[in-house]
Amino acid sequence: MTLLEKDGVRVTVDADGALATVTLTNPAKRNAQTPALWRALAEAGRRLDGAVRVVVLRAEGVSFSAGLDRRAFTPEGIDGEVSFPALARRPDGEIDAVIAEYQEAFTWWRRSDLISVAAVQGHAIGAGFQLALACDLRICADDVAFAMPETTLGLVPDLGGTKPLVELLGYPRALEVCATGRTLHAEEAERTGLANLVVPAAELAGAIEDLTTALLAAPRAAVTETKALLATAAAHTPEDQREAERAAQTRRLRDLTGLGE
C-alpha cells in the first residue's frame, strides 16, 4: 500500500503493516535534496502508524543521494523555496526556525518503536550522508562513497549528522572526515562501523530483505526494550545501566507470564 508519493519521496507499507519502505525517487538528479523533499520525509514519519516495526530507506538509481540541490546556493534558488543567499539576510531567529524545519526530515528515524535501515549505494554526499546517518543501521553496496563536504563550502553539517557520526567513528576521525570533506569508501565504512554490512551492489536488495526478515522475527516488545537500553547506554553509569536492565527485564518477565499491568 502506498501512503505517500510527492516531491521525490514514495512511502509504501507491506500487507502486514509491519514493514515500511521510504524511497527517494529522483534518480535523474541522483536524488539531490530540496526543502520540498525534506518536508515530504518529515510527513512520511508522521504517516507511519504504530503497526510499523521496521523502516527501510532506499533510493532509485545509481546514487543514494548526491546531497543538497546546488540551486539552493544561487540567488534564484529553487522554485518556491527561499534561497540560501536570501535566508542569510533574515534575522537569526528566522534562520534558526527554517533550519529546524529542515531537520525534521532527519529526526524521526530513530524512534523508539521502530528500527530504520538505510540501503545505500553509490554517492551519499552531505545531506545524503546525514540522511543515511539518521537511520539506526546502514547496509551498503560496495560502490558506496560517503562524504561530508559542508566545511569545504564554508558551511557546517546541520541536519543532525554530527552526533551519530561521532558515535560511530569517534571524535578524532569524525573531525578529520568533516574538516577535510574526504570520501569514505566501502572498505573503510565497514571497518569503522559506519556500514553494518557491505555487499556487491547486485546483492543489496537481498541483504536488506534478509535483515528485515531477521528484525521482524523477534517479539516486538523485546526489540523495543533492547533498543531503548542500547540507545541510553553511553549516557549511563554502569550502575544506572544495570538498573535500567533490571527494570526492562522485570517488565518483560511480567508480560511473558501474563502479569503485566
CSV table of all heavy atoms in Angstrom, one decimal, residues 205-246:
chain,number,residue,atom,x,y,z
A,205,ALA,N,19.6,-5.5,-2.4
A,205,ALA,CA,18.2,-5.7,-2.1
A,205,ALA,C,18.0,-7.0,-1.3
A,205,ALA,O,17.2,-7.1,-0.4
A,205,ALA,CB,17.4,-5.8,-3.4
A,206,GLY,N,18.8,-8.1,-1.7
A,206,GLY,CA,18.7,-9.3,-1.0
A,206,GLY,C,19.2,-9.2,0.5
A,206,GLY,O,18.6,-9.8,1.4
A,207,ALA,N,20.2,-8.5,0.7
A,207,ALA,CA,20.8,-8.3,2.0
A,207,ALA,C,19.8,-7.5,2.9
A,207,ALA,O,19.6,-7.8,4.1
A,207,ALA,CB,22.1,-7.5,2.0
A,208,ILE,N,19.1,-6.5,2.3
A,208,ILE,CA,18.1,-5.8,3.1
A,208,ILE,C,16.9,-6.7,3.4
A,208,ILE,O,16.4,-6.6,4.6
A,208,ILE,CB,17.6,-4.6,2.3
A,208,ILE,CG1,18.8,-3.5,2.1
A,208,ILE,CG2,16.4,-4.0,2.9
A,208,ILE,CD1,19.1,-2.9,3.4
A,209,GLU,N,16.5,-7.5,2.5
A,209,GLU,CA,15.4,-8.4,2.8
A,209,GLU,C,15.8,-9.4,3.9
A,209,GLU,O,15.0,-9.7,4.8
A,209,GLU,CB,15.0,-9.2,1.5
A,209,GLU,CG,13.8,-10.1,1.7
A,209,GLU,CD,13.4,-10.8,0.4
A,209,GLU,OE1,14.0,-10.6,-0.6
A,209,GLU,OE2,12.4,-11.6,0.5
A,210,ASP,N,17.0,-9.9,3.9
A,210,ASP,CA,17.4,-10.8,4.9
A,210,ASP,C,17.4,-10.2,6.3
A,210,ASP,O,17.0,-10.7,7.3
A,210,ASP,CB,18.8,-11.4,4.6
A,210,ASP,CG,18.8,-12.4,3.4
A,210,ASP,OD1,17.8,-12.8,3.0
A,210,ASP,OD2,19.9,-12.6,2.9
A,211,LEU,N,17.9,-8.9,6.3
A,211,LEU,CA,18.0,-8.2,7.6
A,211,LEU,C,16.6,-7.9,8.1
A,211,LEU,O,16.3,-8.1,9.3
A,211,LEU,CB,18.8,-7.0,7.4
A,211,LEU,CG,18.9,-6.1,8.7
A,211,LEU,CD1,19.5,-6.8,9.9
A,211,LEU,CD2,19.7,-4.8,8.4
A,212,THR,N,15.7,-7.4,7.2
A,212,THR,CA,14.4,-7.0,7.7
A,212,THR,C,13.6,-8.2,8.2
A,212,THR,O,12.9,-8.2,9.2
A,212,THR,CB,13.6,-6.3,6.6
A,212,THR,OG1,13.5,-7.1,5.5
A,212,THR,CG2,14.2,-5.0,6.3
A,213,THR,N,13.8,-9.4,7.5
A,213,THR,CA,13.2,-10.6,8.0
A,213,THR,C,13.6,-11.0,9.4
A,213,THR,O,12.8,-11.3,10.3
A,213,THR,CB,13.5,-11.8,7.0
A,213,THR,OG1,12.9,-11.4,5.7
A,213,THR,CG2,12.8,-13.1,7.5
A,214,ALA,N,14.9,-10.9,9.6
A,214,ALA,CA,15.5,-11.2,10.9
A,214,ALA,C,15.0,-10.2,12.0
A,214,ALA,O,14.7,-10.6,13.1
A,214,ALA,CB,17.0,-11.2,10.9
A,215,LEU,N,14.9,-8.9,11.6
A,215,LEU,CA,14.5,-7.9,12.6
A,215,LEU,C,13.0,-8.1,13.0
A,215,LEU,O,12.6,-7.8,14.1
A,215,LEU,CB,14.7,-6.5,12.0
A,215,LEU,CG,16.1,-6.0,11.8
A,215,LEU,CD1,16.1,-4.7,11.1
A,215,LEU,CD2,16.8,-5.9,13.2
A,216,LEU,N,12.2,-8.6,12.1
A,216,LEU,CA,10.8,-8.8,12.3
A,216,LEU,C,10.5,-10.1,13.0
A,216,LEU,O,9.4,-10.3,13.5
A,216,LEU,CB,10.0,-8.7,11.0
A,216,LEU,CG,9.9,-7.3,10.4
A,216,LEU,CD1,9.4,-7.4,9.0
A,216,LEU,CD2,9.1,-6.4,11.2
A,217,ALA,N,11.5,-11.0,13.2
A,217,ALA,CA,11.3,-12.3,13.7
A,217,ALA,C,11.1,-12.3,15.2
A,217,ALA,O,10.4,-13.1,15.8
A,217,ALA,CB,12.4,-13.2,13.3
A,218,ALA,N,11.9,-11.4,15.9
A,218,ALA,CA,11.8,-11.4,17.4
A,218,ALA,C,10.6,-10.6,17.9
A,218,ALA,O,10.0,-9.8,17.1
A,218,ALA,CB,13.1,-10.7,17.9
A,219,PRO,N,10.1,-11.0,19.1
A,219,PRO,CA,8.9,-10.2,19.6
A,219,PRO,C,9.2,-8.7,19.7
A,219,PRO,O,10.2,-8.3,20.1
A,219,PRO,CB,8.7,-10.8,21.0
A,219,PRO,CG,9.3,-12.2,20.9
A,219,PRO,CD,10.5,-12.0,20.0
A,220,ARG,N,8.2,-8.0,19.3
A,220,ARG,CA,8.4,-6.5,19.1
A,220,ARG,C,8.7,-5.9,20.5
A,220,ARG,O,9.6,-5.0,20.5
A,220,ARG,CB,7.1,-5.9,18.6
A,220,ARG,CG,7.2,-4.3,18.5
A,220,ARG,CD,6.1,-3.7,17.8
A,220,ARG,NE,6.4,-2.3,17.5
A,220,ARG,CZ,5.7,-1.6,16.6
A,220,ARG,NH1,4.7,-2.1,16.0
A,220,ARG,NH2,6.1,-0.3,16.3
A,221,ALA,N,8.1,-6.2,21.6
A,221,ALA,CA,8.3,-5.6,22.8
A,221,ALA,C,9.8,-5.8,23.3
A,221,ALA,O,10.4,-4.9,23.8
A,221,ALA,CB,7.4,-6.1,23.9
A,222,ALA,N,10.3,-7.0,23.0
A,222,ALA,CA,11.7,-7.3,23.4
A,222,ALA,C,12.7,-6.5,22.6
A,222,ALA,O,13.7,-5.9,23.2
A,222,ALA,CB,12.0,-8.8,23.3
A,223,VAL,N,12.4,-6.3,21.3
A,223,VAL,CA,13.3,-5.5,20.5
A,223,VAL,C,13.2,-4.0,20.9
A,223,VAL,O,14.2,-3.3,21.0
A,223,VAL,CB,12.9,-5.6,19.0
A,223,VAL,CG1,13.7,-4.7,18.1
A,223,VAL,CG2,13.1,-7.1,18.5
A,224,THR,N,12.0,-3.5,21.2
A,224,THR,CA,11.8,-2.1,21.6
A,224,THR,C,12.6,-1.8,22.9
A,224,THR,O,13.3,-0.8,23.1
A,224,THR,CB,10.4,-1.8,21.7
A,224,THR,OG1,9.7,-2.0,20.5
A,224,THR,CG2,10.2,-0.3,22.2
A,225,GLU,N,12.4,-2.7,23.9
A,225,GLU,CA,13.1,-2.6,25.2
A,225,GLU,C,14.6,-2.6,25.0
A,225,GLU,O,15.3,-1.8,25.6
A,225,GLU,CB,12.7,-3.6,26.2
A,225,GLU,CG,11.2,-3.5,26.6
A,225,GLU,CD,11.0,-2.6,27.8
A,225,GLU,OE1,12.0,-1.8,28.2
A,225,GLU,OE2,10.0,-2.8,28.5
A,226,THR,N,15.1,-3.5,24.2
A,226,THR,CA,16.5,-3.7,23.9
A,226,THR,C,17.1,-2.4,23.3
A,226,THR,O,18.1,-1.9,23.6
A,226,THR,CB,16.8,-4.9,23.1
A,226,THR,OG1,16.4,-6.1,23.8
A,226,THR,CG2,18.3,-5.0,22.9
A,227,LYS,N,16.3,-1.9,22.3
A,227,LYS,CA,16.8,-0.7,21.6
A,227,LYS,C,16.9,0.5,22.6
A,227,LYS,O,17.9,1.2,22.6
A,227,LYS,CB,15.8,-0.3,20.5
A,227,LYS,CG,16.2,1.0,19.7
A,227,LYS,CD,15.3,1.3,18.6
A,227,LYS,CE,15.8,2.6,17.9
A,227,LYS,NZ,15.0,3.0,16.7
A,228,ALA,N,15.9,0.6,23.5
A,228,ALA,CA,16.0,1.7,24.5
A,228,ALA,C,17.2,1.5,25.4
A,228,ALA,O,17.8,2.5,25.7
A,228,ALA,CB,14.7,1.7,25.3
A,229,LEU,N,17.5,0.3,25.8
A,229,LEU,CA,18.6,0.1,26.7
A,229,LEU,C,19.9,0.5,26.0
A,229,LEU,O,20.8,1.1,26.5
A,229,LEU,CB,18.7,-1.4,27.0
A,229,LEU,CG,17.8,-1.9,28.1
A,229,LEU,CD1,17.8,-3.4,28.2
A,229,LEU,CD2,18.1,-1.3,29.5
A,230,LEU,N,20.1,0.1,24.7
A,230,LEU,CA,21.3,0.4,24.0
A,230,LEU,C,21.4,1.9,23.6
A,230,LEU,O,22.5,2.4,23.7
A,230,LEU,CB,21.3,-0.4,22.7
A,230,LEU,CG,21.4,-2.0,22.9
A,230,LEU,CD1,21.3,-2.7,21.5
A,230,LEU,CD2,22.7,-2.4,23.5
A,231,ALA,N,20.3,2.5,23.4
A,231,ALA,CA,20.3,3.9,23.0
A,231,ALA,C,20.7,4.8,24.1
A,231,ALA,O,21.3,5.9,23.9
A,231,ALA,CB,18.9,4.4,22.5
A,232,THR,N,20.5,4.4,25.4
A,232,THR,CA,20.8,5.2,26.5
A,232,THR,C,22.1,4.8,27.2
A,232,THR,O,22.6,5.4,28.2
A,232,THR,CB,19.7,5.2,27.5
A,232,THR,OG1,19.4,3.9,27.9
A,232,THR,CG2,18.4,5.9,26.9
A,233,ALA,N,22.7,3.7,26.8
A,233,ALA,CA,23.8,3.1,27.5
A,233,ALA,C,25.0,4.0,27.6
A,233,ALA,O,25.7,4.1,28.6
A,233,ALA,CB,24.3,1.8,26.8
A,234,ALA,N,25.3,4.8,26.5
A,234,ALA,CA,26.5,5.6,26.6
A,234,ALA,C,26.4,6.7,27.6
A,234,ALA,O,27.4,7.2,28.1
A,234,ALA,CB,26.8,6.2,25.2
A,235,ALA,N,25.2,7.2,27.9
A,235,ALA,CA,25.0,8.3,28.8
A,235,ALA,C,24.9,7.8,30.2
A,235,ALA,O,24.9,8.6,31.2
A,235,ALA,CB,23.7,9.1,28.4
A,236,HIS,N,24.7,6.5,30.4
A,236,HIS,CA,24.5,5.9,31.8
A,236,HIS,C,25.9,5.5,32.4
A,236,HIS,O,26.8,5.1,31.8
A,236,HIS,CB,23.7,4.7,31.7
A,236,HIS,CG,22.2,5.0,31.6
A,236,HIS,ND1,21.2,4.0,31.4
A,236,HIS,CD2,21.5,6.2,31.7
A,236,HIS,CE1,20.0,4.6,31.4
A,236,HIS,NE2,20.2,5.9,31.6
A,237,THR,N,25.9,5.6,33.8
A,237,THR,CA,26.9,4.9,34.5
A,237,THR,C,26.7,3.4,34.5
A,237,THR,O,25.5,3.0,34.2
A,237,THR,CB,27.0,5.4,36.0
A,237,THR,OG1,25.7,5.0,36.6
A,237,THR,CG2,27.1,6.9,36.1
A,238,PRO,N,27.7,2.6,34.7
A,238,PRO,CA,27.4,1.2,34.8
A,238,PRO,C,26.3,0.8,35.7
A,238,PRO,O,25.5,-0.1,35.4
A,238,PRO,CB,28.8,0.6,35.2
A,238,PRO,CG,29.8,1.6,34.8
A,238,PRO,CD,29.1,2.9,34.9
A,239,GLU,N,26.2,1.5,36.9
A,239,GLU,CA,25.2,1.2,37.8
A,239,GLU,C,23.8,1.5,37.3
A,239,GLU,O,22.8,0.8,37.4
A,239,GLU,CB,25.4,1.9,39.1
A,239,GLU,CG,26.7,1.5,39.9
A,239,GLU,CD,28.0,2.0,39.3
A,239,GLU,OE1,27.9,2.9,38.4
A,239,GLU,OE2,29.1,1.6,39.8
A,240,ASP,N,23.7,2.7,36.6
A,240,ASP,CA,22.5,3.2,36.0
A,240,ASP,C,22.0,2.2,35.0
A,240,ASP,O,20.8,1.9,34.8
A,240,ASP,CB,22.6,4.6,35.5
A,240,ASP,CG,22.7,5.6,36.5
A,240,ASP,OD1,22.3,5.4,37.7
A,240,ASP,OD2,23.2,6.7,36.2
A,241,GLN,N,23.0,1.7,34.2
A,241,GLN,CA,22.6,0.8,33.1
A,241,GLN,C,22.1,-0.5,33.6
A,241,GLN,O,21.2,-1.1,33.1
A,241,GLN,CB,23.8,0.6,32.1
A,241,GLN,CG,23.5,-0.2,30.9
A,241,GLN,CD,22.6,0.6,29.9
A,241,GLN,OE1,22.3,1.7,30.1
A,241,GLN,NE2,22.1,-0.1,28.9
A,242,ARG,N,22.8,-1.0,34.7
A,242,ARG,CA,22.3,-2.3,35.3
A,242,ARG,C,20.9,-2.1,35.8
A,242,ARG,O,20.1,-3.0,35.7
A,242,ARG,CB,23.3,-2.8,36.3
A,242,ARG,CG,24.6,-3.3,35.8
A,242,ARG,CD,25.4,-4.0,36.8
A,242,ARG,NE,25.9,-3.1,37.9
A,242,ARG,CZ,27.1,-2.5,37.8
A,242,ARG,NH1,27.9,-2.7,36.8
A,242,ARG,NH2,27.4,-1.7,38.8
A,243,GLU,N,20.6,-1.0,36.4
A,243,GLU,CA,19.3,-0.7,37.0
A,243,GLU,C,18.3,-0.7,35.8
A,243,GLU,O,17.2,-1.2,36.0
A,243,GLU,CB,19.3,0.6,37.7
A,243,GLU,CG,17.9,1.0,38.3
A,243,GLU,CD,17.9,2.3,39.1
A,243,GLU,OE1,19.0,2.9,39.2
A,243,GLU,OE2,16.8,2.7,39.4
A,244,ALA,N,18.6,0.0,34.7
A,244,ALA,CA,17.7,0.0,33.6
A,244,ALA,C,17.5,-1.4,33.0
A,244,ALA,O,16.4,-1.7,32.6
A,244,ALA,CB,18.3,0.9,32.5
A,245,GLU,N,18.5,-2.2,33.0
A,245,GLU,CA,18.4,-3.6,32.5
A,245,GLU,C,17.4,-4.4,33.4
A,245,GLU,O,16.5,-5.1,32.9
A,245,GLU,CB,19.7,-4.3,32.5
A,245,GLU,CG,20.7,-3.8,31.4
A,245,GLU,CD,22.0,-4.4,31.5
A,245,GLU,OE1,22.3,-5.1,32.5
A,245,GLU,OE2,22.9,-4.1,30.6
A,246,ARG,N,17.5,-4.2,34.7
A,246,ARG,CA,16.7,-4.9,35.7
A,246,ARG,C,15.2,-4.5,35.5
A,246,ARG,O,14.3,-5.3,35.5
A,246,ARG,CB,17.1,-4.6,37.1
A,246,ARG,CG,18.5,-5.2,37.5
A,246,ARG,CD,18.7,-5.2,39.0
A,246,ARG,NE,18.6,-3.9,39.6
A,246,ARG,CZ,19.7,-3.1,39.8
A,246,ARG,NH1,20.9,-3.5,39.3
A,246,ARG,NH2,19.5,-1.9,40.4
